[in-house]
Amino acid sequence: MPLLKDTLNATLWSVLAEIIAKIISPAVFLILTHILSPSDFGVVSVATTILGLIYVVSDMGTSKVLIQAEDDEGNIQKLYDAAFYLNIFVGIILFLVVL
């Protein structure tokens, strides 16, 4: 039973964090519309959109694969190394694209 309780507790916190993030983000934009000039708000909107797209591209699911991977034949270290270098490579490419 402790595993079920821990799972439910973790799920609750995850859902709560997602809900709060979904509420705070539009609220911040509403506040910024009153504080910033229209041109400044446009710059913030474009930057936020670009950062969101970069996050989607950079989150290739490697962390999920590493968490769920089983070490059947002792190849887990190779998987870790591949994910590490892949993340570095994608990070450099995204940096160069944004630069």
Tab-separated table of all heavy atoms in Angstrom, residues 33-96:
chain	number	residue	atom	x	y	z
A	33	THR	N	0.700	42.917	-20.374
A	33	THR	CA	0.018	43.778	-21.346
A	33	THR	C	-0.237	45.163	-20.781
A	33	THR	O	-0.269	46.135	-21.528
A	33	THR	CB	-1.324	43.171	-21.789
A	33	THR	OG1	-2.159	42.981	-20.660
A	33	THR	CG2	-1.126	41.885	-22.542
A	34	HIS	N	-0.401	45.263	-19.481
A	34	HIS	CA	-0.639	46.569	-18.854
A	34	HIS	C	0.659	47.301	-18.539
A	34	HIS	O	0.673	48.528	-18.482
A	34	HIS	CB	-1.462	46.400	-17.574
A	34	HIS	CG	-2.841	45.911	-17.835
A	34	HIS	ND1	-3.801	46.675	-18.462
A	34	HIS	CD2	-3.426	44.717	-17.586
A	34	HIS	CE1	-4.917	45.993	-18.572
A	34	HIS	NE2	-4.721	44.791	-18.047
A	35	ILE	N	1.727	46.565	-18.339
A	35	ILE	CA	2.990	47.186	-17.950
A	35	ILE	C	3.809	47.621	-19.168
A	35	ILE	O	4.375	48.718	-19.187
A	35	ILE	CB	3.825	46.216	-17.082
A	35	ILE	CG1	3.095	45.938	-15.758
A	35	ILE	CG2	5.210	46.770	-16.816
A	35	ILE	CD1	3.763	44.874	-14.916
A	36	LEU	N	3.874	46.777	-20.194
A	36	LEU	CA	4.746	47.033	-21.339
A	36	LEU	C	4.024	47.790	-22.451
A	36	LEU	O	2.805	47.723	-22.577
A	36	LEU	CB	5.264	45.709	-21.904
A	36	LEU	CG	6.093	44.845	-20.967
A	36	LEU	CD1	6.416	43.522	-21.637
A	36	LEU	CD2	7.362	45.557	-20.561
A	37	SER	N	4.812	48.465	-23.251
A	37	SER	CA	4.260	49.097	-24.453
A	37	SER	C	3.948	47.990	-25.469
A	37	SER	O	4.465	46.878	-25.361
A	37	SER	CB	5.269	50.082	-25.042
A	37	SER	OG	6.383	49.385	-25.559
A	38	PRO	N	3.102	48.279	-26.463
A	38	PRO	CA	2.763	47.237	-27.444
A	38	PRO	C	3.979	46.645	-28.167
A	38	PRO	O	4.032	45.434	-28.389
A	38	PRO	CB	1.840	47.959	-28.423
A	38	PRO	CG	1.204	49.025	-27.609
A	38	PRO	CD	2.271	49.472	-26.652
A	39	SER	N	4.957	47.480	-28.507
A	39	SER	CA	6.129	46.932	-29.204
A	39	SER	C	6.966	46.048	-28.273
A	39	SER	O	7.472	45.005	-28.692
A	39	SER	CB	6.977	48.051	-29.790
A	39	SER	OG	7.475	48.875	-28.760
A	40	ASP	N	7.115	46.473	-27.025
A	40	ASP	CA	7.855	45.652	-26.059
A	40	ASP	C	7.128	44.336	-25.787
A	40	ASP	O	7.750	43.281	-25.665
A	40	ASP	CB	8.061	46.396	-24.745
A	40	ASP	CG	9.029	47.552	-24.878
A	40	ASP	OD1	9.835	47.541	-25.832
A	40	ASP	OD2	8.972	48.471	-24.035
A	41	PHE	N	5.807	44.387	-25.690
A	41	PHE	CA	5.041	43.166	-25.467
A	41	PHE	C	5.171	42.232	-26.669
A	41	PHE	O	5.221	41.009	-26.502
A	41	PHE	CB	3.565	43.477	-25.203
A	41	PHE	CG	2.769	42.252	-24.900
A	41	PHE	CD1	2.886	41.617	-23.677
A	41	PHE	CD2	1.908	41.716	-25.838
A	41	PHE	CE1	2.174	40.474	-23.393
A	41	PHE	CE2	1.181	40.582	-25.565
A	41	PHE	CZ	1.308	39.959	-24.344
A	42	GLY	N	5.253	42.785	-27.856
A	42	GLY	CA	5.464	41.959	-29.052
A	42	GLY	C	6.795	41.228	-29.004
A	42	GLY	O	6.880	40.054	-29.363
A	43	VAL	N	7.832	41.920	-28.535
A	43	VAL	CA	9.147	41.288	-28.403
A	43	VAL	C	9.088	40.147	-27.385
A	43	VAL	O	9.620	39.054	-27.621
A	43	VAL	CB	10.218	42.333	-28.005
A	43	VAL	CG1	11.530	41.661	-27.634
A	43	VAL	CG2	10.428	43.339	-29.114
A	44	VAL	N	8.426	40.381	-26.259
A	44	VAL	CA	8.289	39.341	-25.236
A	44	VAL	C	7.497	38.156	-25.784
A	44	VAL	O	7.845	36.998	-25.545
A	44	VAL	CB	7.615	39.913	-23.964
A	44	VAL	CG1	7.237	38.808	-22.999
A	44	VAL	CG2	8.532	40.911	-23.290
A	45	SER	N	6.449	38.418	-26.542
A	45	SER	CA	5.637	37.337	-27.118
A	45	SER	C	6.437	36.496	-28.104
A	45	SER	O	6.356	35.263	-28.086
A	45	SER	CB	4.410	37.908	-27.812
A	45	SER	OG	3.581	38.560	-26.888
A	46	VAL	N	7.207	37.148	-28.946
A	46	VAL	CA	8.030	36.410	-29.912
A	46	VAL	C	9.085	35.581	-29.182
A	46	VAL	O	9.308	34.406	-29.508
A	46	VAL	CB	8.679	37.377	-30.924
A	46	VAL	CG1	9.736	36.680	-31.750
A	46	VAL	CG2	7.626	37.996	-31.815
A	47	ALA	N	9.730	36.175	-28.187
A	47	ALA	CA	10.753	35.447	-27.432
A	47	ALA	C	10.144	34.249	-26.702
A	47	ALA	O	10.730	33.160	-26.685
A	47	ALA	CB	11.432	36.383	-26.434
A	48	THR	N	8.979	34.424	-26.131
A	48	THR	CA	8.311	33.328	-25.431
A	48	THR	C	7.945	32.207	-26.396
A	48	THR	O	8.111	31.017	-26.082
A	48	THR	CB	7.048	33.844	-24.719
A	48	THR	OG1	7.423	34.889	-23.817
A	48	THR	CG2	6.364	32.742	-23.942
A	49	THR	N	7.481	32.563	-27.572
A	49	THR	CA	7.131	31.559	-28.573
A	49	THR	C	8.365	30.788	-29.024
A	49	THR	O	8.336	29.551	-29.116
A	49	THR	CB	6.463	32.228	-29.782
A	49	THR	OG1	5.312	32.939	-29.342
A	49	THR	CG2	6.064	31.209	-30.818
A	50	ILE	N	9.448	31.492	-29.287
A	50	ILE	CA	10.682	30.838	-29.727
A	50	ILE	C	11.221	29.922	-28.638
A	50	ILE	O	11.628	28.784	-28.900
A	50	ILE	CB	11.731	31.886	-30.149
A	50	ILE	CG1	11.288	32.574	-31.440
A	50	ILE	CG2	13.109	31.259	-30.318
A	50	ILE	CD1	12.141	33.753	-31.848
A	51	LEU	N	11.211	30.385	-27.400
A	51	LEU	CA	11.684	29.549	-26.295
A	51	LEU	C	10.813	28.305	-26.117
A	51	LEU	O	11.321	27.225	-25.812
A	51	LEU	CB	11.743	30.356	-25.001
A	51	LEU	CG	12.854	31.383	-24.930
A	51	LEU	CD1	12.724	32.217	-23.661
A	51	LEU	CD2	14.209	30.704	-24.980
A	52	GLY	N	9.516	28.456	-26.302
A	52	GLY	CA	8.625	27.303	-26.218
A	52	GLY	C	8.925	26.271	-27.288
A	52	GLY	O	8.951	25.059	-27.018
A	53	LEU	N	9.167	26.736	-28.506
A	53	LEU	CA	9.517	25.821	-29.597
A	53	LEU	C	10.862	25.144	-29.350
A	53	LEU	O	11.027	23.951	-29.627
A	53	LEU	CB	9.534	26.566	-30.924
A	53	LEU	CG	8.174	27.029	-31.443
A	53	LEU	CD1	8.341	27.905	-32.666
A	53	LEU	CD2	7.289	25.842	-31.744
A	54	ILE	N	11.808	25.884	-28.831
A	54	ILE	CA	13.112	25.304	-28.515
A	54	ILE	C	12.960	24.230	-27.443
A	54	ILE	O	13.586	23.162	-27.517
A	54	ILE	CB	14.109	26.395	-28.077
A	54	ILE	CG1	14.505	27.232	-29.281
A	54	ILE	CG2	15.336	25.795	-27.409
A	54	ILE	CD1	15.331	28.441	-28.940
A	55	TYR	N	12.137	24.475	-26.458
A	55	TYR	CA	11.913	23.480	-25.407
A	55	TYR	C	11.305	22.206	-25.980
A	55	TYR	O	11.712	21.103	-25.631
A	55	TYR	CB	11.025	24.043	-24.302
A	55	TYR	CG	10.710	23.016	-23.252
A	55	TYR	CD1	11.695	22.618	-22.346
A	55	TYR	CD2	9.472	22.409	-23.183
A	55	TYR	CE1	11.436	21.654	-21.395
A	55	TYR	CE2	9.200	21.443	-22.237
A	55	TYR	CZ	10.186	21.075	-21.341
A	55	TYR	OH	9.923	20.105	-20.410
A	56	VAL	N	10.350	22.355	-26.878
A	56	VAL	CA	9.712	21.183	-27.489
A	56	VAL	C	10.729	20.379	-28.289
A	56	VAL	O	10.764	19.145	-28.215
A	56	VAL	CB	8.526	21.614	-28.379
A	56	VAL	CG1	8.049	20.470	-29.246
A	56	VAL	CG2	7.394	22.140	-27.521
A	57	VAL	N	11.581	21.066	-29.050
A	57	VAL	CA	12.575	20.371	-29.859
A	57	VAL	C	13.643	19.735	-28.974
A	57	VAL	O	14.085	18.610	-29.223
A	57	VAL	CB	13.220	21.339	-30.880
A	57	VAL	CG1	14.400	20.705	-31.572
A	57	VAL	CG2	12.180	21.787	-31.890
A	58	SER	N	14.060	20.428	-27.939
A	58	SER	CA	15.137	19.900	-27.098
A	58	SER	C	14.682	18.751	-26.218
A	58	SER	O	15.493	17.917	-25.819
A	58	SER	CB	15.732	21.015	-26.231
A	58	SER	OG	14.791	21.429	-25.259
A	59	ASP	N	13.402	18.673	-25.915
A	59	ASP	CA	12.890	17.584	-25.088
A	59	ASP	C	12.545	16.405	-25.998
A	59	ASP	O	11.406	16.175	-26.349
A	59	ASP	CB	11.659	18.033	-24.310
A	59	ASP	CG	11.156	16.960	-23.366
A	59	ASP	OD1	11.984	16.147	-22.914
A	59	ASP	OD2	9.947	16.928	-23.099
A	60	MET	N	13.576	15.671	-26.373
A	60	MET	CA	13.418	14.593	-27.334
A	60	MET	C	12.966	13.299	-26.690
A	60	MET	O	12.855	12.287	-27.352
A	60	MET	CB	14.742	14.355	-28.058
A	60	MET	CG	15.222	15.551	-28.818
A	60	MET	SD	16.863	15.276	-29.470
A	60	MET	CE	17.794	15.088	-27.969
A	61	GLY	N	12.743	13.293	-25.405
A	61	GLY	CA	12.310	12.080	-24.730
A	61	GLY	C	13.443	11.213	-24.244
A	61	GLY	O	13.213	10.083	-23.812
A	62	THR	N	14.669	11.710	-24.315
A	62	THR	CA	15.795	10.882	-23.884
A	62	THR	C	15.722	10.566	-22.390
A	62	THR	O	16.093	9.465	-21.982
A	62	THR	CB	17.136	11.556	-24.204
A	62	THR	OG1	17.146	12.871	-23.664
A	62	THR	CG2	17.382	11.623	-25.693
A	63	SER	N	15.239	11.499	-21.590
A	63	SER	CA	15.147	11.229	-20.153
A	63	SER	C	14.138	10.112	-19.875
A	63	SER	O	14.380	9.251	-19.025
A	63	SER	CB	14.774	12.497	-19.391
A	63	SER	OG	13.532	12.988	-19.843
A	64	LYS	N	13.038	10.116	-20.607
A	64	LYS	CA	12.042	9.058	-20.412
A	64	LYS	C	12.596	7.704	-20.828
A	64	LYS	O	12.333	6.691	-20.184
A	64	LYS	CB	10.781	9.395	-21.186
A	64	LYS	CG	10.056	10.608	-20.644
A	64	LYS	CD	8.852	10.943	-21.496
A	64	LYS	CE	8.151	12.161	-20.982
A	64	LYS	NZ	8.717	13.407	-21.473
A	65	VAL	N	13.368	7.692	-21.893
A	65	VAL	CA	13.978	6.435	-22.343
A	65	VAL	C	14.969	5.931	-21.303
A	65	VAL	O	14.999	4.739	-20.994
A	65	VAL	CB	14.674	6.629	-23.714
A	65	VAL	CG1	15.518	5.430	-24.073
A	65	VAL	CG2	13.647	6.891	-24.794
A	66	LEU	N	15.764	6.831	-20.759
A	66	LEU	CA	16.747	6.415	-19.760
A	66	LEU	C	16.082	5.882	-18.499
A	66	LEU	O	16.563	4.925	-17.888
A	66	LEU	CB	17.676	7.569	-19.420
A	66	LEU	CG	18.602	8.033	-20.537
A	66	LEU	CD1	19.409	9.238	-20.088
A	66	LEU	CD2	19.506	6.914	-20.989
A	67	ILE	N	14.984	6.493	-18.116
A	67	ILE	CA	14.288	6.038	-16.910
A	67	ILE	C	13.690	4.654	-17.119
A	67	ILE	O	13.739	3.796	-16.234
A	67	ILE	CB	13.204	7.055	-16.504
A	67	ILE	CG1	13.862	8.330	-15.987
A	67	ILE	CG2	12.266	6.474	-15.462
A	67	ILE	CD1	12.914	9.470	-15.796
A	68	GLN	N	13.157	4.405	-18.296
A	68	GLN	CA	12.461	3.146	-18.553
A	68	GLN	C	13.370	2.046	-19.089
A	68	GLN	O	12.940	0.905	-19.238
A	68	GLN	CB	11.310	3.378	-19.533
A	68	GLN	CG	10.247	4.277	-18.964
A	68	GLN	CD	9.130	4.560	-19.940
A	68	GLN	OE1	9.139	4.091	-21.065
A	68	GLN	NE2	8.160	5.338	-19.503
A	69	ALA	N	14.609	2.364	-19.386
A	69	ALA	CA	15.516	1.374	-19.976
A	69	ALA	C	15.861	0.286	-18.964
A	69	ALA	O	16.040	0.547	-17.777
A	69	ALA	CB	16.787	2.049	-20.458
A	70	GLU	N	15.950	-0.925	-19.468
A	70	GLU	CA	16.364	-2.049	-18.650
A	70	GLU	C	17.762	-2.466	-19.064
A	70	GLU	O	18.105	-2.446	-20.243
A	70	GLU	CB	15.387	-3.206	-18.830
A	70	GLU	CG	13.995	-2.886	-18.336
A	70	GLU	CD	13.034	-4.049	-18.540
A	70	GLU	OE1	13.505	-5.158	-18.843
A	70	GLU	OE2	11.841	-3.826	-18.385
A	71	ASP	N	18.550	-2.856	-18.109
A	71	ASP	CA	19.929	-3.248	-18.374
A	71	ASP	C	19.996	-4.752	-18.577
A	71	ASP	O	20.482	-5.491	-17.739
A	71	ASP	CB	20.831	-2.805	-17.230
A	71	ASP	CG	22.298	-2.896	-17.581
A	71	ASP	OD1	22.605	-3.067	-18.766
A	71	ASP	OD2	23.121	-2.795	-16.663
A	72	ASP	N	19.500	-5.197	-19.738
A	72	ASP	CA	19.470	-6.628	-20.012
A	72	ASP	C	20.858	-7.191	-20.299
A	72	ASP	O	21.239	-8.228	-19.787
A	72	ASP	CB	18.545	-6.923	-21.199
A	72	ASP	CG	17.087	-6.650	-20.868
A	72	ASP	OD1	16.748	-6.668	-19.676
A	72	ASP	OD2	16.304	-6.415	-21.803
A	73	GLU	N	21.598	-6.519	-21.129
A	73	GLU	CA	22.890	-7.050	-21.567
A	73	GLU	C	24.058	-6.162	-21.146
A	73	GLU	O	25.130	-6.229	-21.734
A	73	GLU	CB	22.875	-7.219	-23.087
A	73	GLU	CG	21.807	-8.177	-23.562
A	73	GLU	CD	21.739	-8.225	-25.080
A	73	GLU	OE1	22.654	-7.698	-25.740
A	73	GLU	OE2	20.767	-8.791	-25.592
A	74	GLY	N	23.848	-5.315	-20.189
A	74	GLY	CA	24.921	-4.448	-19.734
A	74	GLY	C	25.195	-3.281	-20.662
A	74	GLY	O	26.269	-2.695	-20.626
A	75	ASN	N	24.237	-2.914	-21.492
A	75	ASN	CA	24.433	-1.828	-22.454
A	75	ASN	C	23.879	-0.494	-21.962
A	75	ASN	O	23.799	0.447	-22.736
A	75	ASN	CB	23.757	-2.179	-23.788
A	75	ASN	CG	24.449	-3.325	-24.475
A	75	ASN	OD1	25.645	-3.502	-24.344
A	75	ASN	ND2	23.684	-4.116	-25.204
A	76	ILE	N	23.514	-0.418	-20.717
A	76	ILE	CA	22.883	0.804	-20.215
A	76	ILE	C	23.864	1.983	-20.249
A	76	ILE	O	23.464	3.110	-20.510
A	76	ILE	CB	22.300	0.578	-18.800
A	76	ILE	CG1	21.316	1.677	-18.436
A	76	ILE	CG2	23.380	0.493	-17.755
A	76	ILE	CD1	19.987	1.523	-19.076
A	77	GLN	N	25.149	1.716	-19.999
A	77	GLN	CA	26.128	2.801	-20.033
A	77	GLN	C	26.250	3.381	-21.436
A	77	GLN	O	26.388	4.588	-21.603
A	77	GLN	CB	27.497	2.318	-19.530
A	77	GLN	CG	28.500	3.441	-19.359
A	77	GLN	CD	28.053	4.489	-18.343
A	77	GLN	OE1	27.521	4.162	-17.292
A	77	GLN	NE2	28.272	5.750	-18.663
A	78	LYS	N	26.172	2.533	-22.457
A	78	LYS	CA	26.203	3.026	-23.836
A	78	LYS	C	24.986	3.895	-24.119
A	78	LYS	O	25.078	4.893	-24.832
A	78	LYS	CB	26.250	1.847	-24.814
A	78	LYS	CG	27.553	1.100	-24.801
A	78	LYS	CD	27.528	-0.038	-25.790
A	78	LYS	CE	28.807	-0.848	-25.717
A	78	LYS	NZ	28.784	-1.996	-26.607
A	79	LEU	N	23.849	3.507	-23.572
A	79	LEU	CA	22.633	4.304	-23.746
A	79	LEU	C	22.772	5.657	-23.057
A	79	LEU	O	22.392	6.687	-23.616
A	79	LEU	CB	21.428	3.540	-23.198
A	79	LEU	CG	20.064	4.158	-23.417
A	79	LEU	CD1	19.754	4.249	-24.905
A	79	LEU	CD2	19.004	3.344	-22.712
A	80	TYR	N	23.336	5.663	-21.851
A	80	TYR	CA	23.578	6.927	-21.143
A	80	TYR	C	24.514	7.831	-21.943
A	80	TYR	O	24.276	9.036	-22.070
A	80	TYR	CB	24.190	6.677	-19.762
A	80	TYR	CG	23.263	6.059	-18.746
A	80	TYR	CD1	23.776	5.373	-17.657
A	80	TYR	CD2	21.885	6.160	-18.860
A	80	TYR	CE1	22.941	4.809	-16.707
A	80	TYR	CE2	21.043	5.597	-17.930
A	80	TYR	CZ	21.578	4.923	-16.851
A	80	TYR	OH	20.755	4.365	-15.925
A	81	ASP	N	25.594	7.240	-22.459
A	81	ASP	CA	26.554	8.027	-23.237
A	81	ASP	C	25.914	8.601	-24.498
A	81	ASP	O	26.126	9.772	-24.831
A	81	ASP	CB	27.763	7.169	-23.613
A	81	ASP	CG	28.606	6.790	-22.410
A	81	ASP	OD1	28.472	7.446	-21.361
A	81	ASP	OD2	29.388	5.823	-22.521
A	82	ALA	N	25.125	7.778	-25.192
A	82	ALA	CA	24.475	8.245	-26.419
A	82	ALA	C	23.508	9.382	-26.121
A	82	ALA	O	23.465	10.389	-26.849
A	82	ALA	CB	23.741	7.089	-27.089
A	83	ALA	N	22.728	9.253	-25.055
A	83	ALA	CA	21.779	10.312	-24.684
A	83	ALA	C	22.525	11.585	-24.298
A	83	ALA	O	22.109	12.694	-24.665
A	83	ALA	CB	20.895	9.845	-23.536
A	84	PHE	N	23.615	11.450	-23.584
A	84	PHE	CA	24.408	12.606	-23.164
A	84	PHE	C	24.928	13.378	-24.377
A	84	PHE	O	24.747	14.594	-24.487
A	84	PHE	CB	25.571	12.133	-22.280
A	84	PHE	CG	26.505	13.230	-21.867
A	84	PHE	CD1	26.147	14.141	-20.884
A	84	PHE	CD2	27.755	13.353	-22.453
A	84	PHE	CE1	27.004	15.156	-20.496
A	84	PHE	CE2	28.625	14.362	-22.083
A	84	PHE	CZ	28.241	15.258	-21.097
A	85	TYR	N	25.572	12.660	-25.292
A	85	TYR	CA	26.143	13.330	-26.455
A	85	TYR	C	25.063	13.843	-27.409
A	85	TYR	O	25.236	14.883	-28.044
A	85	TYR	CB	27.126	12.412	-27.165
A	85	TYR	CG	28.394	12.214	-26.357
A	85	TYR	CD1	28.731	10.970	-25.847
A	85	TYR	CD2	29.224	13.289	-26.078
A	85	TYR	CE1	29.874	10.803	-25.085
A	85	TYR	CE2	30.368	13.132	-25.317
A	85	TYR	CZ	30.687	11.881	-24.829
A	85	TYR	OH	31.820	11.733	-24.072
A	86	LEU	N	23.952	13.136	-27.496
A	86	LEU	CA	22.846	13.616	-28.321
A	86	LEU	C	22.284	14.924	-27.773
A	86	LEU	O	22.025	15.865	-28.525
A	86	LEU	CB	21.742	12.560	-28.408
A	86	LEU	CG	20.533	12.927	-29.256
A	86	LEU	CD1	20.935	13.081	-30.713
A	86	LEU	CD2	19.456	11.884	-29.104
A	87	ASN	N	22.130	15.009	-26.460
A	87	ASN	CA	21.637	16.247	-25.846
A	87	ASN	C	22.614	17.400	-26.036
A	87	ASN	O	22.200	18.534	-26.281
A	87	ASN	CB	21.342	16.029	-24.361
A	87	ASN	CG	20.043	15.314	-24.141
A	87	ASN	OD1	19.111	15.425	-24.932
A	87	ASN	ND2	19.958	14.556	-23.064
A	88	ILE	N	23.902	17.116	-25.934
A	88	ILE	CA	24.894	18.167	-26.179
A	88	ILE	C	24.821	18.635	-27.624
A	88	ILE	O	24.826	19.845	-27.908
A	88	ILE	CB	26.315	17.680	-25.829
A	88	ILE	CG1	26.459	17.574	-24.322
A	88	ILE	CG2	27.376	18.611	-26.403
A	88	ILE	CD1	27.781	17.030	-23.861
A	89	PHE	N	24.748	17.690	-28.556
A	89	PHE	CA	24.691	18.028	-29.977
A	89	PHE	C	23.455	18.868	-30.289
A	89	PHE	O	23.551	19.906	-30.961
A	89	PHE	CB	24.696	16.738	-30.809
A	89	PHE	CG	24.553	16.974	-32.281
A	89	PHE	CD1	25.604	17.497	-33.017
A	89	PHE	CD2	23.367	16.684	-32.927
A	89	PHE	CE1	25.470	17.723	-34.381
A	89	PHE	CE2	23.223	16.905	-34.278
A	89	PHE	CZ	24.276	17.427	-35.011
A	90	VAL	N	22.297	18.453	-29.801
A	90	VAL	CA	21.061	19.203	-30.049
A	90	VAL	C	21.140	20.583	-29.398
A	90	VAL	O	20.696	21.580	-29.981
A	90	VAL	CB	19.830	18.413	-29.550
A	90	VAL	CG1	18.585	19.268	-29.552
A	90	VAL	CG2	19.628	17.171	-30.402
A	91	GLY	N	21.719	20.671	-28.227
A	91	GLY	CA	21.882	21.964	-27.566
A	91	GLY	C	22.746	22.918	-28.367
A	91	GLY	O	22.432	24.101	-28.510
A	92	ILE	N	23.831	22.411	-28.920
A	92	ILE	CA	24.707	23.252	-29.739
A	92	ILE	C	23.994	23.687	-31.015
A	92	ILE	O	24.066	24.864	-31.404
A	92	ILE	CB	26.025	22.510	-30.066
A	92	ILE	CG1	26.854	22.364	-28.795
A	92	ILE	CG2	26.811	23.224	-31.147
A	92	ILE	CD1	28.063	21.456	-28.939
A	93	ILE	N	23.289	22.770	-31.654
A	93	ILE	CA	22.551	23.111	-32.878
A	93	ILE	C	21.492	24.177	-32.579
A	93	ILE	O	21.360	25.168	-33.323
A	93	ILE	CB	21.897	21.859	-33.500
A	93	ILE	CG1	22.950	20.874	-33.963
A	93	ILE	CG2	20.960	22.226	-34.629
A	93	ILE	CD1	23.864	21.405	-35.054
A	94	LEU	N	20.739	24.002	-31.500
A	94	LEU	CA	19.723	24.997	-31.154
A	94	LEU	C	20.344	26.339	-30.817
A	94	LEU	O	19.808	27.396	-31.163
A	94	LEU	CB	18.853	24.491	-29.996
A	94	LEU	CG	17.905	23.360	-30.338
A	94	LEU	CD1	17.213	22.852	-29.068
A	94	LEU	CD2	16.883	23.790	-31.360
A	95	PHE	N	21.488	26.318	-30.148
A	95	PHE	CA	22.202	27.565	-29.839
A	95	PHE	C	22.590	28.283	-31.133
A	95	PHE	O	22.411	29.498	-31.251
A	95	PHE	CB	23.430	27.259	-28.995
A	95	PHE	CG	24.332	28.448	-28.812
A	95	PHE	CD1	23.988	29.467	-27.937
A	95	PHE	CD2	25.522	28.554	-29.522
A	95	PHE	CE1	24.809	30.564	-27.765
A	95	PHE	CE2	26.350	29.650	-29.367
A	95	PHE	CZ	25.988	30.654	-28.485
A	96	LEU	N	23.127	27.537	-32.072
A	96	LEU	CA	23.544	28.144	-33.329
A	96	LEU	C	22.355	28.664	-34.133
A	96	LEU	O	22.451	29.699	-34.797
A	96	LEU	CB	24.352	27.148	-34.166
A	96	LEU	CG	25.711	26.759	-33.567
A	96	LEU	CD1	26.356	25.662	-34.395
A	96	LEU	CD2	26.609	27.986	-33.448
